[in-house]
Coordinates of all heavy atoms in Angstrom, one line a residue:
R92 N -54.1 -51.7 66.8 CA -54.0 -51.3 68.2 C -55.4 -50.7 68.6 O -56.1 -50.0 67.8 CB -52.9 -50.3 68.4 CG -51.5 -50.8 68.1 CD -50.5 -49.8 68.4 NE -50.3 -49.5 69.8 CZ -49.5 -50.2 70.6 NH1 -48.8 -51.3 70.1 NH2 -49.4 -50.0 71.9
V93 N -55.8 -50.9 69.9 CA -57.0 -50.3 70.4 C -56.8 -48.8 70.5 O -55.7 -48.3 70.6 CB -57.4 -50.9 71.7 CG1 -57.7 -52.4 71.6 CG2 -56.3 -50.6 72.8
P94 N -57.9 -48.0 70.4 CA -57.7 -46.5 70.4 C -56.9 -46.0 71.5 O -56.1 -45.1 71.4 CB -59.2 -46.1 70.5 CG -60.0 -47.2 69.9 CD -59.3 -48.4 70.2
E95 N -57.0 -46.6 72.7 CA -56.3 -46.1 73.9 C -54.8 -46.3 73.8 O -54.0 -45.7 74.6 CB -56.9 -46.7 75.2 CG -58.3 -46.4 75.5 CD -59.3 -47.2 74.7 OE1 -58.8 -48.1 74.0 OE2 -60.5 -46.8 74.7
A96 N -54.4 -47.2 73.0 CA -53.0 -47.6 72.9 C -52.3 -47.1 71.6 O -51.2 -47.5 71.3 CB -52.8 -49.1 73.1
K97 N -53.0 -46.3 70.8 CA -52.5 -45.9 69.5 C -51.4 -44.8 69.7 O -51.4 -44.0 70.7 CB -53.6 -45.3 68.6 CG -54.5 -46.4 68.0 CD -55.4 -45.9 67.0 CE -56.2 -47.0 66.3 NZ -57.1 -46.4 65.3
L98 N -50.5 -44.8 68.8 CA -49.4 -43.8 68.8 C -49.9 -42.7 67.9 O -49.8 -42.8 66.6 CB -48.1 -44.5 68.2 CG -46.8 -43.7 68.3 CD1 -46.4 -43.7 69.8 CD2 -45.7 -44.3 67.4
R99 N -50.3 -41.6 68.5 CA -50.8 -40.5 67.7 C -50.0 -39.2 68.1 O -49.7 -39.0 69.3 CB -52.3 -40.2 68.0 CG -53.2 -41.5 67.7 CD -54.6 -41.2 68.0 NE -55.2 -40.3 67.0 CZ -56.2 -39.5 67.2 NH1 -56.7 -39.4 68.4 NH2 -56.6 -38.7 66.2
M100 N -49.7 -38.4 67.1 CA -48.6 -37.4 67.3 C -49.0 -36.0 66.8 O -49.6 -35.9 65.8 CB -47.4 -38.0 66.6 CG -46.1 -37.2 66.8 SD -44.8 -37.9 65.8 CE -44.8 -39.7 66.4
R101 N -48.5 -35.0 67.5 CA -48.4 -33.7 67.0 C -47.0 -33.4 66.7 O -46.1 -33.8 67.4 CB -48.9 -32.7 68.1 CG -50.3 -33.0 68.7 CD -50.7 -31.9 69.7 NE -49.7 -31.3 70.5 CZ -49.3 -31.9 71.6 NH1 -49.8 -33.1 72.1 NH2 -48.3 -31.4 72.4
M102 N -46.8 -32.6 65.6 CA -45.5 -32.2 65.1 C -45.5 -30.8 64.7 O -46.4 -30.3 64.1 CB -45.0 -33.1 64.0 CG -43.7 -32.7 63.3 SD -43.1 -33.9 62.1 CE -42.4 -35.2 63.2
A103 N -44.4 -30.1 65.0 CA -44.2 -28.7 64.6 C -42.8 -28.6 64.0 O -41.8 -29.2 64.4 CB -44.3 -27.8 65.8
I104 N -42.7 -27.8 62.9 CA -41.5 -27.6 62.2 C -41.3 -26.1 61.9 O -42.2 -25.4 61.4 CB -41.5 -28.4 60.9 CG1 -41.9 -29.8 61.1 CG2 -40.1 -28.3 60.2 CD1 -42.0 -30.7 59.8
H105 N -40.1 -25.6 62.1 CA -39.7 -24.2 61.9 C -38.3 -24.2 61.4 O -37.5 -25.0 61.6 CB -39.9 -23.4 63.2 CG -39.4 -22.0 63.1 ND1 -39.8 -21.1 62.1 CD2 -38.6 -21.3 63.9 CE1 -39.3 -19.9 62.3 NE2 -38.5 -20.0 63.4
F106 N -38.0 -23.1 60.6 CA -36.6 -22.9 60.2 C -36.2 -21.6 60.8 O -36.8 -20.5 60.6 CB -36.5 -22.8 58.7 CG -35.1 -22.6 58.2 CD1 -34.3 -23.7 58.0 CD2 -34.6 -21.4 57.9 CE1 -33.0 -23.6 57.5 CE2 -33.3 -21.2 57.5 CZ -32.5 -22.3 57.3
G107 N -35.1 -21.7 61.6 CA -34.6 -20.4 62.3 C -33.2 -20.6 62.8 O -32.5 -21.5 62.5
T108 N -32.9 -19.7 63.7 CA -31.6 -19.6 64.3 C -31.5 -20.4 65.6 O -32.4 -20.4 66.4 CB -31.2 -18.2 64.7 OG1 -31.2 -17.4 63.5 CG2 -29.8 -18.1 65.3
T109 N -30.5 -21.2 65.7 CA -30.3 -22.0 66.9 C -28.9 -21.8 67.5 O -28.0 -21.6 66.8 CB -30.5 -23.5 66.7 OG1 -29.6 -24.0 65.7 CG2 -31.9 -23.8 66.1
V110 N -28.9 -21.9 68.8 CA -27.6 -21.8 69.5 C -27.7 -22.6 70.8 O -28.7 -22.7 71.4 CB -27.3 -20.3 69.9 CG1 -28.4 -19.7 70.7 CG2 -25.9 -20.2 70.6
E111 N -26.6 -23.4 71.0 CA -26.6 -24.3 72.2 C -26.4 -23.5 73.5 O -25.5 -22.6 73.5 CB -25.5 -25.3 72.0 CG -25.8 -26.3 71.0 CD -24.9 -27.5 71.0 OE1 -24.8 -28.2 72.1 OE2 -24.2 -27.8 70.0
G112 N -27.2 -23.7 74.5 CA -27.1 -23.1 75.8 C -26.6 -24.1 76.8 O -26.3 -25.3 76.5
A113 N -26.6 -23.7 78.1 CA -26.2 -24.6 79.1 C -27.2 -25.7 79.4 O -26.9 -26.8 79.9 CB -26.0 -23.8 80.4
N114 N -28.5 -25.5 79.0 CA -29.5 -26.5 79.3 C -30.6 -26.5 78.2 O -31.8 -26.5 78.4 CB -30.2 -26.2 80.7 CG -31.1 -27.3 81.1 OD1 -30.8 -28.5 80.9 ND2 -32.2 -27.0 81.7
G115 N -30.1 -26.6 77.0 CA -31.0 -26.6 75.8 C -30.7 -25.5 74.8 O -29.5 -25.1 74.7
Y116 N -31.7 -25.1 74.1 CA -31.5 -24.1 73.0 C -32.3 -22.9 73.3 O -33.5 -22.8 73.2 CB -32.0 -24.7 71.7 CG -31.1 -25.8 71.2 CD1 -31.3 -27.1 71.6 CD2 -30.0 -25.6 70.4 CE1 -30.5 -28.2 71.1 CE2 -29.2 -26.6 69.9 CZ -29.4 -27.9 70.3 OH -28.6 -28.9 69.9
P117 N -31.6 -21.8 73.7 CA -32.3 -20.5 74.0 C -32.6 -19.8 72.7 O -32.1 -20.2 71.6 CB -31.3 -19.8 74.8 CG -30.0 -20.3 74.4 CD -30.2 -21.7 74.1
G118 N -33.5 -18.8 72.7 CA -33.7 -18.0 71.5 C -35.2 -18.1 71.1 O -35.9 -19.0 71.5
Q119 N -35.6 -17.0 70.4 CA -37.0 -16.9 70.0 C -37.5 -18.0 69.0 O -38.6 -18.4 69.0 CB -37.2 -15.5 69.4 CG -37.0 -14.4 70.3 CD -37.9 -14.5 71.6 OE1 -39.1 -14.7 71.4 NE2 -37.3 -14.4 72.7
D120 N -36.6 -18.5 68.2 CA -37.0 -19.5 67.2 C -37.3 -20.8 67.9 O -38.2 -21.6 67.6 CB -35.9 -19.7 66.1 CG -35.9 -18.5 65.2 OD1 -36.9 -18.2 64.6 OD2 -34.8 -18.0 65.0
A121 N -36.5 -21.1 69.0 CA -36.7 -22.3 69.8 C -38.0 -22.2 70.5 O -38.8 -23.2 70.6 CB -35.5 -22.5 70.7
V122 N -38.3 -21.0 71.0 CA -39.6 -20.8 71.7 C -40.8 -20.9 70.7 O -41.8 -21.6 71.0 CB -39.6 -19.4 72.3 CG1 -41.0 -19.1 72.8 CG2 -38.6 -19.3 73.4
L123 N -40.6 -20.4 69.5 CA -41.7 -20.4 68.5 C -42.1 -21.9 68.2 O -43.3 -22.2 68.2 CB -41.2 -19.7 67.2 CG -42.2 -19.9 66.0 CD1 -43.5 -19.3 66.3 CD2 -41.6 -19.1 64.8
V124 N -41.2 -22.7 67.9 CA -41.5 -24.1 67.5 C -42.2 -24.8 68.6 O -43.1 -25.6 68.4 CB -40.3 -24.9 67.0 CG1 -39.3 -25.2 68.1 CG2 -40.7 -26.1 66.2
S125 N -41.8 -24.5 69.9 CA -42.5 -25.1 71.0 C -43.9 -24.6 71.2 O -44.8 -25.4 71.5 CB -41.7 -24.9 72.3 OG -40.4 -25.5 72.2
R126 N -44.1 -23.3 70.9 CA -45.5 -22.8 71.0 C -46.4 -23.4 69.9 O -47.6 -23.6 70.1 CB -45.4 -21.3 70.9 CG -44.6 -20.6 72.0 CD -45.2 -20.8 73.3 NE -44.5 -20.1 74.4 CZ -43.7 -20.7 75.3 NH1 -43.5 -22.0 75.3 NH2 -43.1 -20.0 76.2
L127 N -45.8 -23.6 68.7 CA -46.6 -24.2 67.6 C -47.1 -25.6 68.1 O -48.2 -26.0 67.9 CB -45.8 -24.3 66.4 CG -45.4 -23.0 65.7 CD1 -44.5 -23.3 64.5 CD2 -46.6 -22.2 65.2
L128 N -46.2 -26.3 68.7 CA -46.5 -27.7 69.1 C -47.5 -27.7 70.2 O -48.4 -28.6 70.2 CB -45.2 -28.4 69.6 CG -45.3 -29.8 70.0 CD1 -45.6 -30.7 68.8 CD2 -44.1 -30.3 70.7
N129 N -47.4 -26.8 71.1 CA -48.3 -26.9 72.3 C -49.5 -26.1 72.2 O -50.3 -26.0 73.2 CB -47.5 -26.5 73.5 CG -46.3 -27.5 73.8 OD1 -46.5 -28.7 73.8 ND2 -45.2 -26.9 74.1
S130 N -49.8 -25.5 71.1 CA -51.0 -24.6 70.9 C -52.3 -25.5 70.9 O -52.2 -26.7 70.7 CB -50.9 -23.7 69.7 OG -50.8 -24.5 68.5
E131 N -53.4 -24.8 71.0 CA -54.7 -25.5 71.0 C -55.1 -26.2 69.7 O -55.6 -27.3 69.7 CB -55.8 -24.5 71.4 CG -57.2 -25.1 71.4 CD -57.3 -26.3 72.4 OE1 -56.5 -26.4 73.4 OE2 -58.2 -27.2 72.1
P132 N -54.8 -25.6 68.5 CA -55.3 -26.2 67.2 C -54.9 -27.6 67.0 O -55.7 -28.5 66.7 CB -54.8 -25.2 66.2 CG -54.8 -23.9 66.8 CD -54.3 -24.2 68.2
P133 N -53.6 -28.0 67.1 CA -53.2 -29.4 66.9 C -53.8 -30.3 67.9 O -54.1 -31.5 67.6 CB -51.7 -29.4 67.0 CG -51.3 -28.1 67.7 CD -52.4 -27.1 67.4
H134 N -54.0 -29.9 69.2 CA -54.7 -30.7 70.1 C -56.1 -31.0 69.7 O -56.6 -32.1 69.7 CB -54.7 -30.0 71.5 CG -53.4 -30.1 72.3 ND1 -52.4 -29.2 72.1 CD2 -53.0 -31.0 73.2 CE1 -51.4 -29.5 72.9 NE2 -51.7 -30.6 73.6
A135 N -56.8 -29.9 69.2 CA -58.2 -30.1 68.8 C -58.3 -30.9 67.5 O -59.2 -31.7 67.3 CB -58.8 -28.7 68.5
A136 N -57.3 -30.9 66.7 CA -57.3 -31.6 65.4 C -57.3 -33.1 65.7 O -58.1 -33.9 65.1 CB -56.1 -31.3 64.6
L137 N -56.5 -33.6 66.7 CA -56.4 -35.0 67.0 C -57.7 -35.5 67.7 O -58.2 -36.6 67.5 CB -55.2 -35.4 67.8 CG -53.9 -35.3 67.1 CD1 -52.7 -35.7 68.0 CD2 -53.9 -36.1 65.8
E138 N -58.3 -34.5 68.5 CA -59.6 -34.9 69.1 C -60.7 -35.0 68.1 O -61.5 -35.9 68.3 CB -59.9 -33.8 70.2 CG -59.0 -33.8 71.4 CD -59.2 -35.0 72.3 OE1 -60.3 -35.7 72.2 OE2 -58.3 -35.3 73.1
Q139 N -60.8 -34.1 67.2 CA -61.9 -34.1 66.2 C -61.7 -35.0 65.0 O -62.7 -35.3 64.3 CB -62.1 -32.7 65.8 CG -62.5 -31.7 66.8 CD -62.8 -30.3 66.3 OE1 -63.2 -30.1 65.1 NE2 -62.5 -29.3 67.1
S140 N -60.5 -35.5 64.8 CA -60.2 -36.3 63.7 C -59.6 -37.7 64.2 O -58.4 -37.9 64.1 CB -59.3 -35.7 62.7 OG -59.1 -36.4 61.6
P141 N -60.4 -38.6 64.7 CA -59.9 -39.8 65.3 C -59.2 -40.7 64.3 O -58.5 -41.6 64.7 CB -61.2 -40.4 65.9 CG -62.3 -39.8 65.2 CD -61.9 -38.4 64.9
S142 N -59.5 -40.6 63.0 CA -58.8 -41.4 62.1 C -57.5 -40.9 61.7 O -56.7 -41.6 60.9 CB -59.7 -41.5 60.8 OG -59.9 -40.2 60.2
S143 N -57.1 -39.7 62.2 CA -55.8 -39.2 61.9 C -54.8 -39.5 63.0 O -55.1 -39.4 64.2 CB -55.8 -37.6 61.7 OG -56.7 -37.3 60.6
D144 N -53.6 -39.9 62.6 CA -52.5 -40.3 63.6 C -51.5 -39.2 63.7 O -50.7 -39.2 64.6 CB -51.8 -41.6 63.2 CG -52.8 -42.7 63.2 OD1 -53.6 -42.9 64.1 OD2 -52.7 -43.6 62.2

Side-chain angles (χ1 to χ4, degrees):
R92 300 182 69 85
V93 298
E95 295 78 12
K97 286 188 174 182
L98 191 73
R99 305 182 69 209
M100 188 183 305
R101 306 185 320 277
M102 174 172 281
I104 310 176
H105 173 51
F106 184 85
T108 301
T109 60
V110 58
E111 291 191 55
N114 190 34
Y116 291 88
Q119 294 304 309
D120 288 309
V122 171
L123 171 59
V124 72
S125 296
R126 298 297 183 253
L127 295 175
L128 180 70
N129 295 316
S130 61
E131 178 59 27
H134 282 89
L137 291 182
E138 289 291 342
Q139 296 182 32
S140 183
S142 62
S143 297
D144 297 318

